[in-house]
């Protein structure tokens, strides 16, 4: 008996030793082999294919210095680890052409003095030390170097945006020149002040050149793409010819145009832009209507009562909210977006043309309706009809495009038309309207560059609306929430009762 117990103890001890040895080997190998498993839906914690391709194609060494202070509040500890993990992943896919160092600025006074000159600011954080709140300075910045050039990320505010910023920095360092985006002015277009957030994002990638088609003799050959944001005044034929010539040269043009101009104080009126001639040549008609939808954004309104002003939020049908099922999932420009709002949008009617591929990027639900005259913008007077229909609000045309003025044709035409411009203004693309801003950025990048940055940027889309449910489905979920838990507990109780009775019966028979 003693021998058997001793043998069992020896076997147990050997098992523990073997398990510990296996864990030690696994731990050692985990430091030698870089591997991560990302179970998030959008792969938010692993590099996209675009970033992997960017570092894999490097022809010279990119070095990154990440300045991360060690005395930051506890909530930033995970951020520091995520930054290091991301940099390790870049290094792993670079074939030795990407190196990084993590530096604690507090360890070297000279380093702290130099950071301000490099564009990395000292941040202030509230921490608890010695049972009291104290303010400490710290750094969360990064400097990338390549071929004598540098790009700075002043503040890494989240690991979610690091990949986009770093891949963009690498692209800028390795590019021969910055693409030039021509922004049309002179016909009442939106100003840079009205689109401050959108323009700020553009300047990260593009050199922006303002083009007044009334005074310019010809659109320069240096322009990579043309943006026409929200014109309000009619284009003359000479201006249209310049746009037409640019498009048939094979370069892309992006139109953010309103069929109806809306002003909260003066109401709504048709915009006579004169773009019909070139649009018709491409098989597109911008309708002079206002589209409303049962899926919509919320707007702020004011009212007066007893000499007091009240502000309230309510659903506003004239701000159609585009849902995932009505987004073209085949297009990298919009496929990763969850929802966006197009305020006071007009619909597009598209006639198929030979050798011209049409992508209907954004559509309303099939319960939408429109106003074609006597426009009503008061929310209390907007009542949906008994039956609605679906409208196209944004589209991209690629392929063979013929000139509207007999100026030739191109087999590589690229045109984007959105029946709304307000979505790109600060009112709708700043703050929390991230999908609107991402859509604008993707639209420009998708036509002017490629889909690389689009796939990274769209990972940041955060709005995931609840799907529309039928009345019956809502009732089912409601009663399930009320009674489901009670049913589960009762079922478990009955089963346990019968199991115990059965066990007692078997014991008595034994």
């Amino acid at each position: 008996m003693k021998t058997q117990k001793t043998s069992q103890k020896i076997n147990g001890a050997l098992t523990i030793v073997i398990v510990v040895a296996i864990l030690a080997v696994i731990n050692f190998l985990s430091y030698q082999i870089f591997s991560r498993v990302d179970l998030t839906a959008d792969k938010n914690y692993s590099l996209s294919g675009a970033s992997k391709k960017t570092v894999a194609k490097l022809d010279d060494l990119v070095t990154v210095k990440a300045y991360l202070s060690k005395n930051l509040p506890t909530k930033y500890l995970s951020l520091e680890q995520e930054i290091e993990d991301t940099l390790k992943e870049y290094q792993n896919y670079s074939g030795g052409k990407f190196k990084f160092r993590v530096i604690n600025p507090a360890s070297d006074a000279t380093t702290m003095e130099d950071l301000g000159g490099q564009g990395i600011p000292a941040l202030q954080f509230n921490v608890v030390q010695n049972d009291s709140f104290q303010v400490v300075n710290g750094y969360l910045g990064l400097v990338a170097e390549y071929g004598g050039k540098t790009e700075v990320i002043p503040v890494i505010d989240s690991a979610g945006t690091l990949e986009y910023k770093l891949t963009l920095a690498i692209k800028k360092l390795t590019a021969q020149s910055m693409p030039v985006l021509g922004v049309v002015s002179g016909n009442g277009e939106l100003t840079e002040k009205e689109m401050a957030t959108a323009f700020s994002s553009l300047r990260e990638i593009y050199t922006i050149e303002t083009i007044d088609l009334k005074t310019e003799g010809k659109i320069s050959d240096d322009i990579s793409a043309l943006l026409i944001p929200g014109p309000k005044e009619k284009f003359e034929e000479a201006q249209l010819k310049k746009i037409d010539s640019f498009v048939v040269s094979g370069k892309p043009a992006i139109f953010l145009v309103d069929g109806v101009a809306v002003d909260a104080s003066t109401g709504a009126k048709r915009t006579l832009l004169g773009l019909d001639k070139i649009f018709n040549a491409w098989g597109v008609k911008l309708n002079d209507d206002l589209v409303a939808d049962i899926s919509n954004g919320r707007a702020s309104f004011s009212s007066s009562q007893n000499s007091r002003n009240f502000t309230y939020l309510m659903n506003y049908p004239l701000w159609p909210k585009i849902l995932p099922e009505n987004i073209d999932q085949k297009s990298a420009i919009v496929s990763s977006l969850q929802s966006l709002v197009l305020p006071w949008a007009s619909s597009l009617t598209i006639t198929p043309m030979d050798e011209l591929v049409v992508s209907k990027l954004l559509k309303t639900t099939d319960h939408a309706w429109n106003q074609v005259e006597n426009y009503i913008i008061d929310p209390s007077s907007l009542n949906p009809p008994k039956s609605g229909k679906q409208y196209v609000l944004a589209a991209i045309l690629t392929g063979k495009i013929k000139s509207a003025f007999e100026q030739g044709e191109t087999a590589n035409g690229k045109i984007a038309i959105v029946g709304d411009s307000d979505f790109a203004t600060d009112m709708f693309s700043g703050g929390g309207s991230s999908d609107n801003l991402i859509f604008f950025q993707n639209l420009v990048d998708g036509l002017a560059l490629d889909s690389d940055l689009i796939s990274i940027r769209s990972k940041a889309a955060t709005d995931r609306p609840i799907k529309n449910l039928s009345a019956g489905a809502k009732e089912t979920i409601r009663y399930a929430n009320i009674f489901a838990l009670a049913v589960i507990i009762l079922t478990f109780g009955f089963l346990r009762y019968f199991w115990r009775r059965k066990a007692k019966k078997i014991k008595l028979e034994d």
Side-chain angles (χ1 to χ4, degrees), residues 312-388:
Y312 54 94
L313 283 172
M314 66 180 298
N315 288 341
Y316 190 34
L318 289 177
W319 289 6
K321 188 173 186 178
I322 315 301
L323 302 177
E325 56 265 32
N326 300 317
I327 290 173
D328 184 358
Q329 297 301 316
K330 295 180 181 178
S331 171
I333 290 172
V334 292
S335 61
S336 296
L337 301 180
Q338 297 301 314
S339 70
L340 59 155
V341 175
L342 299 183
W344 301 300
S346 297
S347 64
L348 305 175
T349 300
I350 300 174
T351 304
M353 305 283 284
D354 292 339
E355 300 180 65
L356 193 59
V357 178
V358 177
S359 169
K360 296 176 181 179
L361 295 180
L362 306 175
K363 294 183 286 188
T364 65
T365 71
D366 53 9
H367 299 289
W369 70 101
N370 71 338
Q371 303 177 49
V372 294
E373 56 185 13
N374 300 322
Y375 307 109
I376 298 170
I377 61 174
D378 180 1
S380 62
S381 303
L382 294 171
N383 299 313
K386 291 183 179 179
S387 62

Side-chain angles (χ1 to χ4, degrees), residues 66-88 100 102-104 139-140 156 158-159 162:
Y67 296 97
L68 309 177
S69 295
K70 298 295 183 183
N71 59 335
L72 302 184
T74 306
K75 65 179 182 179
Y76 290 96
L77 295 179
S78 60
L79 174 60
E80 182 180 345
Q81 185 60 54
E82 288 171 12
I83 292 171
E84 288 194 45
D85 288 343
T86 301
L87 294 175
K88 284 178 183 176
F100 76 93
V102 176
I103 301 168
N104 177 16
Y139 296 87
L140 284 170
I156 305 171
S158 76
L162 175 59

Side-chain angles (χ1 to χ4, degrees), residues 34-69:
F34 182 85
S35 180
R36 302 175 74 189
V37 177
D38 187 349
L39 299 179
T40 58
D42 296 324
K43 303 301 178 186
N44 292 326
Y45 297 98
S46 55
L47 291 188
S48 65
S51 295
K52 294 174 185 177
K53 184 173 71 174
T54 298
V55 292
K57 290 168 60 178
L58 289 173
D59 56 8
D60 204 350
L61 182 65
V62 170
T63 59
V64 168
K65 296 177 183 176
Y67 296 97
L68 309 177
S69 295

Side-chain angles (χ1 to χ4, degrees), residues 123-257:
L123 307 175
Q124 292 191 331
F125 302 91
N126 293 321
V127 299
V128 178
Q129 290 182 350
N130 300 323
D131 298 326
S132 63
F133 281 102
Q134 296 184 22
V135 177
V136 298
N137 290 334
Y139 296 87
L140 284 170
L142 182 150
V143 177
E145 300 175 354
Y146 172 88
K149 297 186 291 183
T150 62
E151 282 291 329
V152 177
I153 301 177
V155 179
I156 305 171
D157 47 8
S158 76
T161 59
L162 175 59
E163 182 188 354
Y164 172 75
K165 291 179 178 179
L166 184 51
T167 299
L168 174 58
I170 294 171
K171 283 181 171 288
K172 290 168 72 173
L173 285 171
T174 56
Q176 296 298 317
S177 61
M178 296 279 283
V180 181
L181 179 67
V183 180
V184 172
S185 67
N187 289 77
E189 287 83 2
L190 294 170
T191 65
E192 184 167 348
K193 184 177 180 180
E194 292 172 294
M195 299 174 63
T197 304
F199 268 81
S200 176
S201 69
L202 291 177
R203 291 189 187 281
E204 293 180 349
I205 306 172
Y206 304 92
T207 299
I208 294 179
E209 186 174 315
T210 302
I211 300 172
D212 190 333
L213 295 176
K214 291 181 179 178
T215 60
E216 295 279 346
K218 176 194 172 188
I219 299 174
S220 170
D221 292 336
D222 295 333
I223 303 297
S224 306
L226 198 64
L227 174 66
I228 301 99
K232 302 292 187 296
E233 300 169 10
K234 187 175 181 179
F235 286 86
E236 300 169 0
E237 186 168 302
Q239 295 174 291
L240 296 178
K241 285 183 177 179
K242 294 171 187 176
I243 298 173
D244 180 81
S245 176
F246 182 85
V247 170
V248 295
S249 72
K251 292 187 176 181
I254 302 157
F255 296 83
L256 311 182
V257 285

